[in-house]
Amino acid sequence: MSLHRGADEGRDARPLSVNPFFGEANPVGGMTGAPPKHRLPKDPLPPSTAYQLVHDELMLDGNSRLNLATFVTTWMEPQAGVLMAECRDKNMIDKDEYPRTAELERRCVAMLADLWNAPDPAAAVGCSTTGSSEACMLAGMALKRRWTLRNADRYPSREARPNLVMGVNVQVCWEKFCAFWEVEARQVPMEGDRYHLSPEAAAALCDENTIGVVTVMGSTFDGSYEPVADVCAALDALQERTGLDIPVHVDGASGAMVAPFLDEDLVWDFRLPRVASINTSGHKYGLVYPGVGWALWRTPAELPQELVFRVNYLGGDMPTFALNFSRPGAQVVAQYYTFLRLGRAGYRAVQQAARDVARGLAGRIGDLGDFRLLTRGDELPVFAFTTADDVRAYDVFDVARRLRERGWLVPAYTFPAHREDLAVLRVVCRNGFSADLAGLFLEDLGRLLPELRQQPGPLGGATGFHH
Ligand SMILES: *Cc1c(COP(=O)(O)O)cnc(C)c1O
């Protein structure tokens, strides 16, 4: 969430404006009863008036289907919507009151343990979360606690400050984890055409205070998979040399729901003994509306028991690992519905369609001649591209701004250390962004180019990075 300020009446002191049509129906305030914007109104409004006011204000939000910035699901079947509506009053924490919802959550964990090749799916443990960010916090906490247990004789002390090794391309949740839980973030910078973690650089940053290495299946910056198996091999070699046994967490926010279906031969999951835990966002390529993620650990040994809480004040006594207490059950139910509905073949078909769109669109953008592709949509169905070296009249920020005029939201952003010189556009292809829509997008982009080429130079003005 943005960190919002309170009332700023100087900036916008006007009350909400009520159409006389609604005002007439307002028994309390009559035609003049305009509610204030920044304070709780004194009196109630009729539901129809309140609804219309909120509805009208939201008309100016973008069209989520044209948002090529987000990884998050923007289309589900009507049946999923019905189930979610049926479950919106169910509180996920209340396992005793809603035992069947709890059971569906358990089945989802079991399905993911199987999908991610846990050596003993019955031994794997996991939970639902609000998204990958919470899942990553939980996984990071488990790594940190395991390290503090192993280092109880020296921690806390000045010499023993825990660190976590990762690429500089990690999603912001890992920087949050390190800031919130006081862990040093050791980030491997980008180098030349390498835009994510390298196994050698990761191993080189590890020492006796390293709680783990994070590898990302599907880099936020360009959609590329990090070489999880090679990172594990480099850490195996490190262990042989030094005795240091460093666990790996795979941040599979997107890729953990893509690779199992499209890249079955790629070994990145619990088949690698060094992989202790994996997370994914159910609301990204898990194909559920926002509000669900998953965290799994190989066995209970990877999840220190003192992090798991039992409470009896809702009745029952179910162990939970979560940052939140109350949480909606609807998204978990929708995840189970989608697993049941699609199965492996269905997920494969949906993700393959997204990858086909991404590859096709990337190829055609490459063919325009104005752009250079960094990735081609053949790992995550996501690709990043920048302007070709000989393009001087405009930059990626101009392209993003002009595409917005046609309703397309495509983020433009600069890369992190050591490639701050590189600015790119990124397109996320997800279920619902059809080949037809991609065709329309390409037409719109093609129509802009002649005008952009006429510019005297880039107009300046970076937009923020939208994850
Ligand atoms: C999106 C993303 C996250 C954060 O996930 P949320 O579900 O949005 O909280 C973390 N890591 C990666 C690699 C991501 O792509």
Side-chain angles (χ1 to χ4, degrees):
M1 282 307 110
S2 310
L3 198 54
H4 297 290
R5 299 246 200 104
D8 184 359
E9 306 251 329
R11 187 171 57 94
D12 184 10
R14 280 165 305 165
L16 292 170
S17 61
V18 181
N19 184 323
F21 262 104
F22 327 149
E24 256 177 333
N26 180 348
V28 180
M31 306 268 285
T32 55
K37 252 181 220 150
H38 304 286
R39 272 169 290 119
L40 204 58
K42 197 161 123 288
D43 297 309
L45 287 174
S48 56
T49 308
Y51 171 81
Q52 199 65 45
L53 284 172
V54 178
H55 174 87
D56 286 2
E57 186 126 13
L58 292 174
M59 285 194 310
L60 283 173
D61 273 347
N63 178 340
S64 65
R65 294 280 296 282
L66 301 184
N67 181 351
L68 304 184
T70 183
F71 288 78
V72 171
T73 297
T74 46
W75 183 84
M76 286 188 84
E77 293 168 303
Q79 288 83 351
V82 172
L83 272 174
M84 290 180 80
E86 287 169 8
C87 296
R88 61 186 152 209
D89 59 336
K90 295 191 182 180
N91 186 353
M92 206 63 235
I93 192 70
D94 212 341
K95 316 270 182 206
D96 202 43
E97 173 78 359
Y98 308 116
R100 301 322 297 168
T101 308
E103 167 63 12
L104 299 191
E105 180 189 35
R106 193 195 62 74
R107 287 184 205 167
C108 287
V109 168
M111 287 179 184
L112 289 172
D114 176 57
L115 186 68
W116 295 339
N117 296 295
D120 177 3
V125 286
C127 55
S128 68
T129 61
T130 47
S132 277
S133 299
E134 186 189 6
C136 293
M137 297 298 145
L138 300 181
M141 283 159 63
L143 289 175
K144 184 179 177 193
R145 184 57 62 100
R146 284 174 65 201
W147 177 87
T148 52
L149 290 172
R150 283 196 306 275
N151 292 277
D153 52 333
R154 5 181 249 124
Y155 179 79
S157 75
R158 274 174 153 276
E159 300 71 46
R161 176 162 185 236
N163 67 71
L164 183 63
V165 171
M166 61 188 91
V168 70
N169 55 301
V170 289
Q171 210 265 358
V172 66
C173 71
W174 290 105
E175 282 148 36
K176 289 187 191 174
F177 167 77
C178 289
F180 297 165
W181 273 274
E182 301 189 332
V183 169
E184 177 196 345
R186 290 204 177 157
Q187 297 193 327
V188 174
M190 295 182 172
E191 221 54 84
D193 292 339
R194 177 174 61 68
Y195 305 122
H196 57 218
L197 191 62
S198 93
E200 301 70 33
L205 284 186
C206 292
D207 60 21
E208 67 283 2
N209 294 331
T210 301
I211 64 172
V213 173
V214 173
T215 55
V216 183
M217 276 296 280
S219 172
T220 309
F221 282 87
D222 64 359
S224 62
Y225 291 162
E226 289 191 332
V228 184
D230 293 344
V231 170
C232 288
L235 294 174
D236 291 344
L238 178 78
Q239 183 171 10
E240 262 182 36
R241 276 200 317 279
T242 65
L244 292 174
D245 183 7
I246 313 270
V248 166
H249 173 81
V250 181
D251 177 355
S254 299
M257 290 307 291
V258 174
F261 306 110
L262 300 188
D263 310 290
E264 279 181 272
D265 296 335
L266 183 70
V267 178
W268 62 274
D269 54 16
F270 288 124
R271 281 168 287 182
L272 299 165
R274 200 168 281 283
V275 171
S277 46
I278 301 174
N279 70 275
T280 198
S281 295
H283 55 218
K284 292 184 176 173
Y285 290 93
L287 306 177
V288 176
Y289 283 139
V292 65
W294 301 94
L296 266 75
W297 290 264
R298 165 185 293 277
T299 71
E302 279 75 28
L303 176 55
Q305 281 310 294
E306 64 261 42
L307 298 178
V308 176
F309 285 82
R310 291 170 176 270
V311 294
N312 57 8
Y313 25 77
L314 291 175
D317 179 30
M318 183 84 95
T320 65
F321 186 27
L323 297 182
N324 306 292
F325 189 66
S326 301
R327 204 153 55 71
Q331 282 80 355
V332 170
V333 171
Q335 183 78 80
Y336 181 71
Y337 166 80
T338 308
F339 284 167
L340 196 64
R341 161 89 174 92
L342 291 178
R344 282 190 187 239
Y347 265 99
R348 187 171 302 120
V350 170
Q351 316 303 37
Q352 185 66 52
R355 182 177 281 179
D356 290 347
V357 168
R359 276 180 167 160
L361 185 57
R364 287 158 75 192
I365 287 176
D367 292 343
L368 291 172
D370 282 52
F371 301 107
R372 179 167 67 81
L373 294 169
L374 272 72
T375 42
R376 319 190 68 93
D378 44 15
E379 294 187 328
L380 289 189
V382 169
F383 59 95
F385 56 105
T386 185
T387 44
D389 290 341
D390 55 353
V391 170
R392 305 250 185 274
Y394 65 92
D395 63 13
V396 292
F397 301 101
D398 294 327
V399 177
R401 195 166 40 236
R402 295 299 311 272
L403 281 170
R404 252 176 201 264
E405 293 169 12
R406 309 286 312 162
W408 300 107
L409 213 68
V410 179
Y413 50 91
T414 52
F415 267 29
H418 297 147
R419 287 307 311 267
E420 296 94 336
D421 58 303
L422 186 59
V424 306
L425 293 151
R426 185 193 65 195
V427 171
V428 176
C429 299
R430 45 181 205 286
N431 181 39
F433 182 58
S434 60
D436 292 345
L437 280 171
L440 294 174
F441 173 77
L442 193 74
E443 276 175 32
D444 281 339
L445 180 61
R447 249 195 300 271
L448 293 177
L449 288 180
E451 289 175 33
L452 286 166
R453 290 177 191 136
Q454 297 299 316
Q455 287 187 183
L459 300 184
T463 60
F465 176 20
H466 301 276
H467 276 289

